[in-house]
Amino acid sequence: VELVESGGGLVQPGGSLRLSCTASGRSFSINAMGWYRQAPGRERELVASITSGGSAIYADSVKGRFTISINIPKNTVYLQMDTLKPEDTAVYYCHAAALVQPTIESSWSVEEWGQGTLVTVPS
């Protein structure tokens, strides 16, 4: 399973961006997808995550400003980021938990990361 992200960039405070991440591969199904971020000098942290059934969780710092959604037929997760703040500046990484099942008898779980996309909100 491979993840490809898009949508990062430079945006002024108060602005919006939408990140997208699409999973591709063979014989897999998505269990959950999410977004993490890592700012310079800080650890990677969860931003938001959503299950294939649509249950979502958010970091307290983004509640009410960010919205995560998922399109299962397209294996794509979106992160709508509104009212962006300078402290949202980070590299945003897509994460996916999936089940790979090439045959009825064989299956295994995988977790994959995207390459990261930079979001910059200047102060």
Side-chain angles (χ1 to χ4, degrees):
V1 178
E2 294 186 357
L3 304 179
V4 177
E5 303 150 339
S6 62
L10 173 68
V11 62
Q12 294 300 312
S16 298
L17 279 177
R18 189 174 85 150
L19 305 181
S20 300
C21 173
T22 298
S24 63
R26 298 182 64 181
S27 305
F28 74 97
S29 58
I30 294 293
N31 290 328
M33 297 184 78
W35 293 93
Y36 289 70
R37 67 186 180 187
Q38 187 167 19
R42 301 188 67 176
E43 294 186 354
R44 190 173 297 188
E45 63 176 1
L46 173 69
V47 177
S49 180
I50 187 167
T51 69
S52 58
S55 296
I57 59 172
Y58 295 90
D60 288 343
S61 59
V62 306
K63 283 181 181 177
R65 300 188 298 121
F66 291 10
T67 303
I68 191 169
S69 59
I70 193 166
N71 184 321
I72 290 297
K74 293 185 177 181
N75 291 318
T76 298
V77 65
Y78 305 95
L79 185 67
Q80 177 65 42
M81 304 185 293
D82 298 318
T83 319
L84 282 159
K85 304 176 181 180
E87 50 264 44
D88 294 318
T89 294
V91 177
Y92 284 70
Y93 295 91
C94 178
H95 174 266
L99 180 71
V100 178
Q101 189 168 17
T103 68
I104 294 176
E105 298 84 10
S106 178
S107 66
W108 58 90
S109 298
V110 297
E111 292 194 36
E112 300 293 343
W113 292 91
Q115 78 282 2
T117 185
L118 178 62
V119 172
T120 303
V121 187
S123 55

